[in-house]
Amino acid sequence: MARLITPLFFLVLSIIYLILTFNLTRARVGDENGPLYFPLLIGGFLFLFSIIYFIQEWKQRGEKFDQLKELFTGRAPFLIISTLVLIFIYTFLFERIGFLISTMLFLTGLLFVINGTKPWIKNIVIAVIFSVVSWYSFSELLNVSLP
């Protein structure tokens, strides 16, 4: 039954997400339901894929399930904890130093955790290019205000 934990988690998450989507503020100009369309699409797909995932895991419920043990062996615990720490730091820095710098720092740290220190130039270049392209796409092309 341990293999059903993840699909059930995502199923409950999708239901909560869909319920919260209907509580979003309606638009005052144009289509009043406009702000709901994209979140409903995301929530609907999450719900649909959670059901499919649940059915797949339900069919295999009698088989051996060792994947949970793999979370606690090798580099996996280090990767999980490091990623969570970096996400916490990123959320703390995001409002204080802005999108561009905090995203560069977060991605650089994450790439160093995943790839190690040997390809350090590649890690930094990827983090900088991705951050700048993301910032430019949102702030300049889409006119989305970023901190």
Side-chain angles (χ1 to χ4, degrees), residues 13 17 28 31 49 57 60 75 88 90 101 140 144:
L13 182 69
Y17 184 88
R28 294 183 185 161
D31 184 6
F49 291 136
E57 292 299 320
Q60 299 175 3
R75 279 191 73 206
F88 177 75
Y90 179 64
I101 303 295
E140 300 299 319
V144 174

Side-chain angles (χ1 to χ4, degrees), residues 81-95:
I81 292 169
S82 300
T83 303
L84 290 173
V85 167
L86 286 170
I87 289 170
F88 177 75
I89 293 169
Y90 179 64
T91 56
F92 179 76
L93 292 177
F94 189 81
E95 286 288 331

Side-chain angles (χ1 to χ4, degrees), residues 4-21:
L4 297 177
I5 293 171
T6 304
L8 283 174
F9 169 77
F10 282 109
L11 189 61
V12 169
L13 182 69
S14 69
I15 291 169
I16 292 169
Y17 184 88
L18 286 169
I19 290 169
L20 292 175
T21 297

Side-chain angles (χ1 to χ4, degrees), residues 11-74:
L11 189 61
V12 169
L13 182 69
S14 69
I15 291 169
I16 292 169
Y17 184 88
L18 286 169
I19 290 169
L20 292 175
T21 297
F22 287 109
N23 292 329
L24 289 174
T25 306
R26 308 283 192 220
R28 294 183 185 161
V29 178
D31 184 6
E32 73 172 18
N33 293 322
L36 298 179
Y37 295 141
F38 187 69
L40 280 175
L41 183 71
I42 298 296
F45 276 121
L46 182 60
F47 182 77
L48 175 69
F49 291 136
S50 297
I51 296 285
I52 293 169
Y53 185 27
F54 181 82
I55 292 169
Q56 289 174 340
E57 292 299 320
W58 182 262
K59 288 179 181 178
Q60 299 175 3
R61 68 187 178 279
E63 298 175 14
K64 190 174 180 182
F65 184 71
D66 291 332
Q67 286 84 352
L68 198 59
K69 293 176 187 172
E70 292 178 19
L71 282 176
F72 304 106
T73 59

